[in-house]
Amino acid sequence: MNDFIAARSQMALSLGFHIVFSCIGMVMPFFMAVSHFYWLKTNQVVYKNITKAWSKGVAIFFATGAVSGTVLSFELGLLWPEFMKHAGPIFGMPFSLEGTAFFIEAIALGFFLYGWNRFNRWFHWFTGLVVGISGLVSGILVVAANAWMNSPAGFDYVNGQYLNIDPIAAMFNDAWFSQALHMTVAAFVATGFAVAGVHALMIAKGKNVEFHTRSFRIAAIFACVAAVLQPLSGDISAKDVARRQPAKLAAMEAHFETRKSAPLILGGIPDEKNKTVKYAIPLPGMLSFMAHGDFSAEVKGLDAIPEDEHPPVAITHYAFQIMVGLGMVMMLLSFIYFIALWKKKSWLRSKWLLNFFVLATPMGFIAVEAGWTVTEVGRQPWIIHGVMRTADAVTPMPGIAYSFYLFTGVYVSLALIVTFMLYRQIQMVDKLYDVLPNENPEKH
């Protein structure tokens, strides 16, 4: 493995782990705030127990997210010094504001965790809500910085010089809204289905049914609403990518030839050498409609883009297909769940629906990882789209492969530790907050 591939692999590994912790850190506090609100309004102790149990999970992921995020910040400077030399002064504002949001989140989380029976009940609830809001703002600001890499703005590039820097224009670049919206909704989908799936498994096993049923419903409603909205944010993102990064769109769809009424393809195996796609199912005109809102519009293919600016087609295409495919499965599950809530109450107690949610537990995070693969691999060979190539930004320091192997070991260890801590937390929940299915929780 050469140093360039090692540097990219290490960055991908770090981002792949951090995005999971970030999504949970952005979303779980809102679940916690809802259960806490129910506790304050109903005085049913089961909601207090849910809030306390979830708050411990929020604390675990806040700590791991802080560590992995700090590592990513250092890696930007150590692995990509040429990039940070020029880009740092331009998009530094969202990173500095993200630090402020993180600082507020840490304080609010401390208040919430240690504020039981010490603060006014509603102020205590408000501190938990601030944890979620600041975490969400933090995530959006980081995405804004990434969006700048896809849609550079806020400077003039003249003879290799970055002049007339405008940090506000850089932060609110053309891609920030579509990327932030898509990522935020994806975080709610991924976290919602993961949390709902864990509680569905506990219900299916007959453990702490009252506790897990109430927990499941909060998480499932968040997840299902977000899953239904996600295709709308995806459509906004697709149209934005078609306008700004036609090479990325062409790689996503393995669209080799510029043509009108371009088909949207389902599945398929791209053959980059022969510029064809085997075994795909074409939907005539749908790519034109997805990209431009017109079934007969022309969609630029890879044939209209210089060969040395082509993204890796196969990886980008497969990742896009995985993201969309899993998104459709989760949207189907969401519609089934809404039907169960409104028309088919008996389905809510059925094993098949619970098992469907258990099966969906990892789907959201797999889709998130696939989506980030599309975003990052689809931008190649650019680290700053159209301005700086990734190969020109990498550090000249040798031995990056050894650093990659070391970080792989660290992150695998971290994943195992977090998994063990969560497993222990679930076991403790069943021991500490045991509410029998036929027992009135208001007696506690």
Side-chain angles (χ1 to χ4, degrees):
M1 180 184 294
N2 63 45
D3 288 335
F4 176 58
I5 297 299
R8 289 185 60 189
S9 299
Q10 183 173 324
M11 202 72 194
L13 176 74
S14 302
L15 182 60
F17 271 88
H18 181 67
I19 196 65
V20 174
F21 304 141
S22 295
C23 286
I24 296 173
M26 289 165 62
V27 174
M28 274 295 292
F30 289 103
F31 297 179
M32 185 178 73
V34 170
S35 63
H36 196 180
F37 178 82
Y38 283 153
W39 151 243
L40 294 177
K41 295 295 289 185
T42 67
N43 226 25
Q44 293 183 27
V45 74
V46 65
Y47 287 118
K48 181 181 181 181
N49 293 340
I50 292 169
T51 304
K52 286 192 169 184
W54 278 348
S55 69
K56 291 181 174 66
V58 169
I60 291 170
F61 282 105
F62 177 82
T64 51
V67 172
S68 59
T70 302
V71 170
L72 270 172
S73 299
F74 281 114
E75 284 180 342
L76 279 173
L78 293 173
L79 299 178
W80 313 101
E82 192 66 20
F83 166 71
M84 290 303 295
K85 173 184 174 182
H86 299 292
I90 303 172
F91 74 79
M93 178 173 285
F95 273 139
S96 61
L97 293 176
E98 190 272 338
T100 303
F102 177 80
F103 182 66
I104 294 171
E105 182 182 6
I107 294 173
L109 182 59
F111 279 5
F112 186 83
L113 293 175
Y114 298 102
W116 291 98
N117 303 319
R118 290 181 174 88
F119 295 139
N120 172 277
R121 285 156 51 97
W122 286 102
F123 176 76
H124 184 222
W125 171 81
F126 177 72
T127 62
L129 188 62
V130 170
V131 174
I133 293 171
S134 55
L136 194 62
V137 170
S138 180
I140 289 172
L141 288 167
V142 171
V143 171
N146 179 268
W148 178 85
M149 297 164 69
N150 288 299
S151 180
F155 67 97
D156 293 325
Y157 186 64
V158 181
N159 297 325
Q161 299 294 315
Y162 297 77
L163 308 174
N164 303 321
I165 293 173
D166 183 348
I168 300 296
M171 184 165 66
F172 295 107
N173 56 79
D174 289 345
W176 85 269
F177 176 75
S178 60
Q179 279 196 212
L181 176 65
H182 197 56
M183 185 63 240
T184 300
V185 178
F188 276 92
V189 173
T191 306
F193 276 109
V195 174
V198 170
H199 290 294
L201 180 62
M202 295 297 106
I203 297 168
K205 289 183 175 182
K207 294 184 177 181
N208 251 348
V209 174
E210 181 71 21
F211 176 92
H212 290 296
T213 298
R214 308 255 183 135
S215 304
F216 168 80
R217 179 162 294 195
I218 293 171
I221 289 175
F222 269 104
C224 292
V225 170
V228 171
L229 295 176
Q230 187 67 314
L232 300 178
S233 71
D235 181 67
I236 294 172
S237 292
K239 287 180 169 57
D240 180 64
V241 168
R243 179 175 58 84
R244 293 183 299 95
Q245 294 177 294
K248 179 183 287 187
L249 181 70
M252 288 160 56
E253 278 298 319
H255 183 60
F256 291 102
E257 182 183 350
T258 302
R259 58 180 293 186
K260 295 183 178 180
S261 299
L264 181 73
I265 63 171
L266 303 179
I269 300 175
D271 182 348
E272 296 184 56
K273 182 178 179 181
N274 297 311
K275 314 297 183 187
T276 60
V277 184
K278 301 176 182 177
Y279 315 116
I281 301 173
L283 302 178
M286 285 301 296
L287 181 58
S288 293
F289 180 77
M290 184 182 78
H292 302 293
D294 181 353
F295 286 100
S296 60
E298 181 177 272
V299 178
K300 184 182 291 188
L302 289 168
D303 60 342
I305 296 161
E307 189 108 9
D308 65 344
E309 296 181 11
H310 287 190
V313 176
I315 295 174
T316 308
H317 176 70
Y318 294 143
F320 181 68
Q321 296 290 309
I322 290 169
M323 179 185 69
V324 173
L326 292 177
M328 293 298 103
V329 172
M330 289 183 286
M331 187 169 68
L332 172 63
L333 176 54
S334 301
F335 283 127
I336 293 172
Y337 184 65
F338 289 141
I339 292 171
L341 285 175
W342 294 328
K343 297 290 185 181
K344 300 286 186 179
K345 299 290 186 182
S346 61
W347 290 3
L348 296 174
R349 298 181 296 276
S350 63
K351 281 289 182 72
W352 67 265
L353 184 59
L354 291 173
N355 289 334
F356 200 165
F357 271 97
V358 172
L359 184 66
T361 301
M363 287 185 183
F365 283 112
I366 295 172
V368 165
E369 298 287 5
W372 273 101
T373 300
V374 172
T375 299
E376 298 303 294
V377 177
R379 188 181 62 243
Q380 301 308 312
W382 306 102
I383 192 168
I384 306 175
H385 181 68
V387 177
M388 180 185 289
R389 290 178 179 265
T390 309
D392 297 331
V394 72
T395 178
M397 182 179 69
I400 301 299
Y402 299 107
S403 173
F404 168 64
Y405 300 142
L406 175 63
F407 273 80
T408 299
V410 169
Y411 276 113
V412 170
S413 301
L414 182 62
L416 293 174
I417 292 169
V418 171
T419 302
F420 174 74
M421 292 175 67
L422 291 175
Y423 176 72
R424 287 291 300 273
Q425 177 62 26
I426 292 170
Q427 285 187 320
M428 289 175 63
V429 164
D430 286 333
K431 291 178 181 178
L432 295 175
Y433 307 136
D434 188 16
V435 179
L436 297 177
N438 59 350
E439 192 173 6
N440 182 358
E442 293 188 19
K443 292 181 181 179
H444 289 255

